[in-house]
Amino acid sequence: MALCLSASKSIVFNIICSNSTSDPFPSSSVFKSLKIPRFWPWQKVKMGPLTVSPMGFGTWAWGNQLLWGYQDSMDSELQQTFNLAVENGINLFDTADSYGTGKLNGQSEKLLGKFIREFPGDKQAKNDIVIATKFAAYPWRLTPGQFVNACKSSLERMEIEQIGIGQLHWSTANYAPLQERALWDGLVAMYEKGLVRAVGVSNYGPKQLLKIYKYLDDRGVPLRSAQVQFSLLSMGSDQMEIKNICDSLGIRVIAYSPLGLGMLTGKYTPSNLPPGPRGLLFRQILPGLEPLLTSLREIAQRRRKTIPQVAINWCICKGTIPIPGIKSVKQTEENLGALGWQLSSDELLQLEYAALDSPQKMIQNVFQTK
């Protein structure tokens, strides 16, 4: 019996049983393919009643023409990216009711719902999908009822009966503190009505995170997740304090922008910038990232990985659930390569020292609170 590792893109072992007098099989040879998963069941992450993959995918680009150049013609490949992700064990997909520019507002949710309905693969994999959507704190959403209606609208767009994680997209504490309480009560109401299986927040700083945790806890609603901009470009004191608070309270940290909008992919330089508003941001930050990019490149070459895979794996090693954005099959295949291995403690330190040595850092989200 020979054990051969195939050279295809999916990881497959072929067990070849050769024909011999002692061969118990009637055929001359038997080929059995065993697909090795990207990660093992014990590596999945518990989030209250939910079980999610150690990495999810973000869908901000789905419908966003301004930053990501979305066009309707991309939908076919977006569906392929979704199918590929689910087939490889990814079951967490992050979206928002505000994703999609202009008339395309809500397009990300619509596409996600459509792709789930039309998924051609394993039924159990389809049933295990967890959608985490965020509800915008628009100024006209002033009552709990209006926030609940926002949740119902998301359910209608996706054509599903229940959302996995309903999240408050940002806090209004900095500019409309009275609205904040109504939004919190809206989260409580949508949870009690069974519209969402769990609730979470996004862009909450340490102080507000503790406040909403206590407020929800007093009402019997567990806070299950906190989204924060978290990467080797965003590992400041606030991020680390949020991570420590979440660890102590049993809240899962979902790391958005783990690749710094693309700055940690190694694909861009000061003379090769992406089009649109991202290019303006990259022009300011990229020249100061050479120490970090050099370390990422060194480790990637040593590990036979890519720079994005190393950057995402760092987030996983720090105990977060990264949700890199995807809009192509190539991106999805590459990001999946961040799973199934682990950076060493020395490599983690090398990357973190290099990040500290890099004079530029990611600009923080304007909606991030203290």
Side-chain angles (χ1 to χ4, degrees), residues 194-339:
L195 302 177
V196 301
R197 294 186 67 192
V199 300
V201 293
S202 178
N203 297 308
Y204 265 61
K207 292 180 181 178
Q208 284 301 109
L209 181 61
L210 286 169
K211 287 180 183 178
I212 190 171
Y213 172 85
K214 185 177 187 309
Y215 189 87
L216 295 177
D217 188 56
D218 287 346
R219 286 152 185 79
V221 179
L223 182 62
R224 297 299 187 187
S225 67
Q227 274 201 46
V228 62
Q229 186 171 263
F230 190 94
S231 72
L232 283 161
L233 274 182
S234 300
M235 44 174 277
S237 58
D238 274 1
Q239 278 85 0
M240 295 305 145
E241 187 176 355
I242 290 167
K243 180 65 172 59
N244 290 337
I245 289 171
C246 287
D247 288 347
S248 68
L249 297 176
I251 303 168
R252 293 293 184 181
V253 174
I254 299 175
Y256 74 79
S257 291
L259 297 175
L261 299 178
M263 277 182 275
L264 296 182
T265 62
K267 298 173 183 176
Y268 300 104
T269 66
S271 59
N272 177 34
L273 301 170
R278 279 199 305 150
L280 299 175
L281 179 65
F282 282 34
R283 191 184 302 277
Q284 299 174 46
I285 298 176
L286 270 178
L289 295 186
E290 196 50 43
L292 177 55
L293 290 172
T294 297
S295 284
L296 282 166
R297 196 173 294 112
E298 288 175 357
I299 293 172
Q301 289 173 351
R302 187 165 64 242
R303 286 282 196 152
R304 296 185 180 180
K305 302 293 181 182
T306 67
I307 290 176
Q309 289 167 355
V310 174
I312 295 170
N313 192 270
W314 178 85
C315 292
I316 296 172
C317 289
K318 301 304 286 187
T320 73
I321 305 171
I323 49 169
I326 51 168
K327 60 176 184 174
S328 72
V329 169
K330 183 179 179 182
Q331 271 184 340
T332 306
E333 288 176 338
E334 182 171 30
N335 290 344
L336 285 168
L339 296 169

Side-chain angles (χ1 to χ4, degrees), residues 42 85 91 106-107 117-118 137 140 151-152 172 180 192 223 278 296 314 318 340:
W42 57 84
N91 76 327
Q107 181 73 354
R117 292 192 302 276
E118 297 178 0
W140 55 84
C151 179
K152 291 179 178 177
T172 64
E180 182 94 335
E192 291 179 339
L223 182 62
R278 279 199 305 150
L296 282 166
W314 178 85
K318 301 304 286 187

Side-chain angles (χ1 to χ4, degrees), residues 7 77 87 103 130 133 152 167 184 244 322 336:
E77 184 166 15
E87 287 163 1
K103 293 180 180 179
V130 174
T133 196
K152 291 179 178 177
Q167 306 161 101
W184 292 1
N244 290 337
L336 285 168

